[in-house]
Amino acid sequence: MTDNRAAGVSNLTVRYGDTLILDDISFSVDRHEIFVILGGSGSGKSTLLRQMIGLERPVSGEVFIDDINITRCPESQFSEALKKIGVLFQGSALISSMTVSQNIALPIIEFTDFSKKSIDRIVRVKLSLVGLEGYGHYLPSEISGGMKKRAGLARALALNPEILYLDEPSAGLDPVTAAEIDRLILDINRQLGTTIIIVTHELASIFAVAQRVIMLDKSTKKIIAEGTPEKLQTECDHPYVCKFFNRQT
Amino acid sequence: MMSIMAPDSPSPPFEITETDDGKLTIMLSGPLNIKTASPILNALTAALKNKSLTAVTINLKHVSRVDDYGALVLYQIKNDVLPPDTDFHLLNPPDVLQTMLDQMAAGHSDSPGQPDATLSSKFILQTGEATIDTLKSIKEFIDFIGAIVLSVMRFLKNPKSLRTNDIIGYMKTTGVDGLPVVAMISFLIGLIMAFMSSIQLKQFGANIYVASLVALSMVSELGPIMTAIIVSGRSGSAYAAEISTMKISEEIDALVTMGFDPVLFLAIPRMIAAIIVIPLLTMFANLFAIFGGLVIGITMLDLSASSYINQTFNSLKLFELCWGLSKSFVFAIIISGVGCLRGFQARGGASAVGQAATSAVVTSIFLIVLFDSIFAVIRSYWN
Ligand SMILES: Nc1ncnc2c1ncn2[C@@H]1O[C@H](COP(=O)(O)OP(=O)(O)OP(=O)(O)O)[C@@H](O)[C@H]1O
Ligand SMILES: [Mg+2]
């Protein structure tokens, strides 16, 4: 079972000061899977994602990227783990002093030996992948929120990571662009075999891409449901899950 | 029985009916919302104050619309205007009203003010928090020094990872762009020093020593410290603001996940740039101050340019120059290090950026003066 694990957490507990955010959470994501983390606003999805990429340390529990336990491993192994992942932050987090192209090129320059010309070509491919042809020379402050999201996605994809972490990739996008992003996620998953972990609220996206979802609950701080979206919609045994999937109040 | 109309708000009006046994009925009409709430509340408060009433009934039959501000009027009359033992009734309240009143009555934990505590416990709390904060910031300071050492080692292992283009950019913003203000201020300081000292020295016919005084005090003391203070205000604060902005917008987190070392990426180039340009700026400051002194010497002290310059060179030893420059080297580390550290320490929203910039300047000026005193002590033992 662990052989097939691309990422996961076990018995993870997270607090901010005295406030419990996540309580004893465990799950694992299979290789090549598209895995979706759901939950109401403020239920700790972004917090969970930040834990999963090692930006913050848990109170207790373990976090895995591939087979590396990033909660207790030497620095060098952690850097190894980081080389396998790409991350899109909720607020895009593009480096504001660099153009979109420079942002995408940043990890490529650092971690490969390609010439400047080849890197330019790769950047162009990544830009058109997310539909931002011609916007490479814009600064992050000069493009719209949805475009920043897509530029952030292109940067996360820069080194064709094994695992992609996306925090609300289609929030703030119009339905057509959002559907294009879903399509892109499916294509990446299919063509490169990338494991993709997504935090999202968008029902349409969930049904379009998710192979398995978990749902976090704000009051119990635990996972209240796990399974395929279709299963959660029809056989939900938790009232909040039913409401979520059937858009009730 | 008597009846009054609200004095200064013709619409929406209300009508008060009072019986002799202290029972009072208020008939409100028209909308009761954010627009009308304030005048109605004021008028009703004025009408009800200082009356001994046993029961108040407000009839809402003719009220066309109620929002939460309207509910606030009723809530306030019941709880704040009327004495607590008065009977209070609402006639014909709309459904939404009761919900809003209940929400207002529910606890005060969401009130937007500061979390309140009694004065004494506040003092103890603040003292404790301040102590913890200080300890934390000392720890962060030590951590940061460690991180810098690690980054330098990383750079030595992999020189490509240093962003040389950034260094040149920071050299420009810190050095080239800072030169005019440094030059201007040190020129004026040289001018003032020469002028003030000449008043005394003239009496002894020792005009020529104005040149020595300006040169010596500037090169070994004022030049490094003035330049450091100007640069910390210009660039130390800018470093803190830039890095803290990146911190709060998750840019630094993004760098970490991309496998960059944020200290090597952001702090080391700034520190290198500062270490290169601040001693240079200090030399320029010395030069301009001596020039300022020269202007006074020629125009007011009847000295010739050549004698002034000769005297300057005679009184300056190479040691003084090196002493001043080694000070400015230390100040450069302080300014850039503190600026970057404050940036990395920022937490929270936009105000964190301002705080980072302010505390970068305050801390570095404090450390500059402290280290300047240490230099002075070392020198006095040395001799
Ligand atoms: N740095 C922090 N310090 C203290 N509390 C925090 C911090 N970051 C998040 N929290 C708290 O953790 C909880 C979860 O936040 P998180 O950002 O993970 O929510 P989320 O599920 O991503 O919500 P959304 O869907 O709105 O993005 C919130 O209650 C928030 O107040
Ligand atoms: Mg979030």
Side-chain angles (χ1 to χ4, degrees), chain A residues 50 53 55 75 82 87 89 91 93-96 98 106-107 109-113 155, chain B residues 154 158 160-161 163 166 245-246 249-260 265:
Chain A
R50 291 174 66 79
I53 56 182
L55 283 176
E75 178 97 4
L82 287 178
V87 184
F89 287 83
L94 298 168
I95 308 298
S96 48
M98 297 182 179
L106 192 61
I109 294 171
E110 180 77 9
F111 297 106
T112 69
D113 295 323
R155 188 180 64 182
Chain B
R154 220 167 264 160
N158 178 13
K160 188 187 142 196
S161 56
R163 303 179 59 79
D166 287 2
T245 308
M246 296 184 72
S249 61
E250 289 189 314
E251 287 172 45
I252 292 182
D253 290 337
L255 285 176
V256 171
T257 55
M258 283 190 281
F260 290 95
F265 195 100

Side-chain angles (χ1 to χ4, degrees), chain B residues 160-177:
Chain B
K160 188 187 142 196
S161 56
L162 184 69
R163 303 179 59 79
T164 22
N165 285 343
D166 287 2
I167 297 180
I168 293 166
Y170 298 131
M171 281 171 68
K172 179 181 174 293
T173 52
T174 307
V176 180
D177 300 351

Side-chain angles (χ1 to χ4, degrees), chain A residues 178-198:
Chain A
E180 275 166 18
I181 296 289
D182 290 344
R183 167 100 255 127
L184 177 63
I185 289 171
L186 285 172
D187 285 348
I188 294 164
N189 172 257
R190 224 167 277 152
Q191 288 162 12
L192 305 174
T194 311
T195 308
I196 305 180
I197 299 169
I198 310 174

Side-chain angles (χ1 to χ4, degrees), chain A residues 16 21 39-48 90 167-168 201 218:
Chain A
Y16 282 122
I21 308 290
S41 198
S43 59
K45 305 181 295 296
S46 298
T47 306
L48 177 58
Q90 190 163 5
D167 197 347
E168 310 211 355
H201 291 299
K218 196 174 176 180

Side-chain angles (χ1 to χ4, degrees), chain B residues 280-307:
Chain B
L280 286 177
L281 278 177
T282 307
M283 301 246 263
F284 275 107
N286 296 340
L287 221 61
F288 276 92
I290 289 169
F291 180 62
L294 179 69
V295 169
I296 292 287
I298 293 173
T299 55
M300 301 181 65
L301 303 177
D302 305 323
L303 294 173
S304 71
S306 66
S307 64

